[in-house]
Amino acid sequence: MDRGTVGSANRGRLNVEVRTEGRSEVVTPAGELDHHTADLLREPLEDAIDRGRTRLVVDCTRLDFCDSTGLNVLLGARLKAEAAGGGVHLAGMQPVVARVFEITGAEAVFTVHASLEDALNS
């Protein structure tokens, strides 16, 4: 089920697509995740959790950049999903994004998958 694309004045910098795949809610941010665009990802993640969709798979294959604000959005979603009995899985991170998670140690608190397919089959 496709929920469309979330956007605002920053639409050119980050688009977020959300769809349901089996037991997972797949959230695909495309572009730059930073202070100016973080709410474009935060809102659909929180909406999914509010609707009881607590197994979140973030498909990072089209995410070109992530700063500390974006990382905090993902960490916040992880806490809320886990409190509701679910979790956040990250899939297909580009090297520049993976480096942010490596430097901060955040990779240790997420389930990270090489591909979206791996995340959906786990």
Side-chain angles (χ1 to χ4, degrees), residues 6 15 23 30 33-34 55 100 113 122:
V6 177
N15 290 318
R23 61 189 178 106
L33 177 57
D34 60 22
R55 186 179 196 281
V100 172
H113 303 272
S122 70

Short mmCIF file of all heavy atoms in Angstrom, two decimals, residues 6 15 23 30 33-34 55 100 113 122:
data_model
loop_
_atom_site.label_atom_id
_atom_site.label_comp_id
_atom_site.label_asym_id
_atom_site.label_seq_id
_atom_site.Cartn_x
_atom_site.Cartn_y
_atom_site.Cartn_z
N VAL A 6 5.84 12.54 1.25
CA VAL A 6 5.70 13.65 2.18
C VAL A 6 6.61 14.76 1.67
O VAL A 6 7.72 14.49 1.23
CB VAL A 6 6.13 13.23 3.60
CG1 VAL A 6 6.06 14.39 4.54
CG2 VAL A 6 5.25 12.09 4.08
N ASN A 15 12.76 13.81 -0.20
CA ASN A 15 11.45 13.21 -0.43
C ASN A 15 11.40 11.94 0.40
O ASN A 15 12.40 11.23 0.52
CB ASN A 15 11.24 12.85 -1.90
CG ASN A 15 11.07 14.08 -2.76
OD1 ASN A 15 10.40 15.03 -2.39
ND2 ASN A 15 11.71 14.07 -3.92
N ARG A 23 4.80 -7.36 7.04
CA ARG A 23 4.75 -6.89 8.43
C ARG A 23 5.57 -5.63 8.66
O ARG A 23 5.63 -5.11 9.77
CB ARG A 23 5.22 -8.00 9.37
CG ARG A 23 6.64 -8.44 9.14
CD ARG A 23 6.98 -9.70 9.96
NE ARG A 23 8.34 -10.13 9.70
CZ ARG A 23 9.35 -9.98 10.54
NH1 ARG A 23 9.16 -9.41 11.70
NH2 ARG A 23 10.55 -10.39 10.22
N ALA A 30 14.83 10.08 0.32
CA ALA A 30 15.71 10.29 -0.84
C ALA A 30 16.20 11.73 -0.82
O ALA A 30 15.39 12.66 -0.80
CB ALA A 30 14.96 10.01 -2.13
N LEU A 33 19.15 14.45 4.45
CA LEU A 33 18.47 14.45 5.75
C LEU A 33 19.31 15.30 6.70
O LEU A 33 20.41 14.91 7.10
CB LEU A 33 18.34 13.02 6.26
CG LEU A 33 17.72 12.83 7.64
CD1 LEU A 33 16.33 13.44 7.71
CD2 LEU A 33 17.68 11.35 7.98
N ASP A 34 18.78 16.48 7.03
CA ASP A 34 19.51 17.40 7.90
C ASP A 34 18.53 18.21 8.73
O ASP A 34 17.33 17.93 8.75
CB ASP A 34 20.46 18.29 7.09
CG ASP A 34 19.75 19.16 6.06
OD1 ASP A 34 18.52 19.43 6.19
OD2 ASP A 34 20.40 19.59 5.10
N ARG A 55 7.36 -2.22 13.09
CA ARG A 55 8.56 -2.77 12.44
C ARG A 55 8.85 -1.86 11.25
O ARG A 55 8.23 -1.96 10.20
CB ARG A 55 8.37 -4.20 11.97
CG ARG A 55 9.67 -4.80 11.43
CD ARG A 55 9.50 -6.24 10.97
NE ARG A 55 10.77 -6.90 10.82
CZ ARG A 55 11.57 -6.74 9.75
NH1 ARG A 55 11.21 -5.95 8.76
NH2 ARG A 55 12.73 -7.38 9.69
N VAL A 100 28.69 8.24 9.01
CA VAL A 100 28.12 9.00 10.14
C VAL A 100 27.74 8.04 11.26
O VAL A 100 28.02 8.30 12.44
CB VAL A 100 26.90 9.83 9.69
CG1 VAL A 100 26.19 10.45 10.88
CG2 VAL A 100 27.31 10.89 8.68
N HIS A 113 21.18 -3.71 7.56
CA HIS A 113 21.15 -4.73 6.53
C HIS A 113 21.80 -4.20 5.26
O HIS A 113 21.70 -3.00 4.97
CB HIS A 113 19.70 -5.13 6.21
CG HIS A 113 18.94 -5.60 7.40
ND1 HIS A 113 18.95 -6.90 7.82
CD2 HIS A 113 18.15 -4.91 8.27
CE1 HIS A 113 18.18 -7.02 8.90
NE2 HIS A 113 17.69 -5.82 9.20
N SER A 122 14.37 -10.53 7.12
CA SER A 122 14.95 -10.87 8.43
C SER A 122 13.87 -11.03 9.49
O SER A 122 12.78 -10.59 9.38
CB SER A 122 15.93 -9.79 8.88
OG SER A 122 15.25 -8.60 9.21
#
